[in-house]
Amino acid sequence: MSLQSDVTDLWHRYDDGLTAEEATSDDAETLDAFLSALEAGDARAAEPDGSGDTVRDRWTVNEWVKQGILLNFGLRGIEAREHGGVAYHDVLPLRETADIGERGSRNTPDGTVIRRGAYVGSDAIMMSPSFVNIGAYVGDGTLVDSCDTVGSCAQIGANVKLGANTLIGGVLEPVEDNPVIVEDGVSLGAGCRVTSGFVVGENSVVGENTLLTPRIPVYDLVEEEILYGELPAERRAFARYVESSVSDHDLIDGGAYKPAVVATDIETETLEATEREDALRE
C-alpha cells in the first residue's frame, strides 16, 4: 500500500474511535513515515497543478496530508521533552536539522524552531527567533527573517523574502480548507500578515505592515477589478483605507474607513530595490 492509502485507512479508523492507547506499532510506523515524507518534501499539504485562471485555482489541496498531521496529534500522547537545555511538553519532538545543513541552508542559534513534519529547502536562511510549524513547506533560497512565523501547512515558494516580524497563518481544520500560499519570488515587507488561505502570486512585492486576508478587498488597478483571497502575480501591493458603508451612521462623526489593499504594476524602481536586497544576502 502507498503512504497515502495507509494514512487514509488510519484516518477512517481514528474517525471510528481509535485512540492513542489502542494504536499499534504499525500505526506508529505509519505516522513516523508520514512525518519523514513531509520533511523530505515528498508529501505536501498543497501542490501547484499548473491549471486554472487565477493564482488560487493553480493549487490543489491534499486533504490526506492534513489528515496525517491531525493523526499525529490524535494518536500520540503528550511527553516531557528537552531541547537545548529547555524543558517542554508536546506530542512531537522538534525536527532534526542535519539534512538542512547538508543542503546549504542555515538556521541561526537561540530561537530558530523547526517542528517535526516541516520542510526547508536548499540555500534557505532562517534567522532567529523564527518558527516553522508542522506541514509547512519553505522553498529553496527563501529567507525567513527574525520574529517570523510560518504556520501549519503554509506553502512558501522558492526565493521568497519574508520580512522581519511577518506572520504566515496556518490551517489544519477543516481539512478541506486552503492553506496560505506564497508563490515563488515574492517579497513581503516587515510586519506583513497573510492569513486564512490567502494566495500571493509569484514575483509580487508587498509593502510593510500589509494585512492579506480574504476578508479584506484587493483593488487590482491593473485589471481594474476587486479580488478577495488572492493577489495576482507580479503586483506591487500596499495597505490603504477606503470609506466604509457605515460612514453615514448617526453615531459616527466624520466618516468611517475600512482596510483595503491596492495592487499596481511592478515598477522598475521596486524591482531594483529588491535586487539590491538580494545582493546583500549573497
Side-chain angles (χ1 to χ4, degrees), residues 13-251:
R13 291 167 53 208
Y14 176 69
D15 203 33
D16 288 336
L18 178 68
T19 65
E21 292 74 20
E22 298 168 339
T24 66
S25 58
D26 287 342
D27 296 334
E29 288 181 6
T30 296
L31 296 177
D32 287 337
F34 170 75
L35 292 175
S36 295
L38 285 176
E39 293 171 5
D42 296 331
R44 295 179 60 173
E47 296 176 283
D49 58 20
S51 63
D53 296 328
T54 67
V55 288
R56 178 184 295 278
D57 293 337
R58 292 200 296 266
W59 287 79
T60 299
V61 176
N62 295 321
E63 294 183 11
W64 73 273
V65 172
K66 287 190 182 179
Q67 291 171 347
I69 295 173
L70 291 171
L71 286 169
N72 269 279
F73 291 106
L75 296 180
R76 296 183 189 268
I78 297 175
E79 297 182 27
R81 303 181 185 276
E82 184 175 321
H83 181 82
V86 177
Y88 68 101
H89 296 78
D90 202 352
V91 296
L92 292 171
L94 298 182
R95 186 194 194 287
E96 296 293 333
T97 58
D99 64 308
I100 292 176
E102 292 168 358
R103 292 198 299 276
S105 292
R106 52 193 173 98
N107 56 313
T108 59
D110 294 334
T112 302
V113 178
I114 308 174
R115 210 171 187 192
R116 275 228 66 187
Y119 173 82
V120 177
S122 301
D123 301 316
I125 301 173
M126 288 191 57
M127 301 298 294
S128 61
S130 59
F131 177 74
V132 180
N133 207 349
I134 186 171
Y137 183 101
V138 177
D140 296 345
T142 285
L143 168 68
V144 180
D145 212 337
S146 298
C147 300
D148 288 351
T149 296
V150 181
S152 55
C153 297
Q155 303 294 295
I156 311 298
N159 301 312
V160 170
K161 307 297 184 297
L162 302 182
N165 196 31
T166 290
L167 170 66
I168 305 297
V171 63
L172 281 176
E173 297 183 276
V175 292
E176 66 272 11
D177 270 14
N178 293 329
V180 169
I181 295 169
V182 180
E183 294 191 330
D184 295 351
V186 168
S187 178
L188 298 179
C192 284
R193 302 289 185 268
V194 190
T195 68
S196 304
F198 196 97
V199 182
V200 184
E202 62 183 6
N203 299 322
S204 288
V205 176
V206 181
E208 61 185 22
N209 296 318
T210 300
L211 174 60
L212 299 174
T213 181
R215 294 175 296 279
I216 292 180
V218 175
Y219 291 85
D220 183 17
L221 304 187
V222 177
E223 297 295 335
E224 296 187 349
E225 58 183 350
I226 301 175
L227 303 172
Y228 288 88
E230 63 182 273
L231 175 67
E234 300 182 348
R235 297 291 194 271
R236 183 173 69 92
F238 45 90
R240 288 293 183 267
Y241 286 88
V242 297
E243 190 171 3
S244 170
S245 59
V246 300
S247 289
D248 295 332
H249 197 285
D250 292 340
L251 290 177

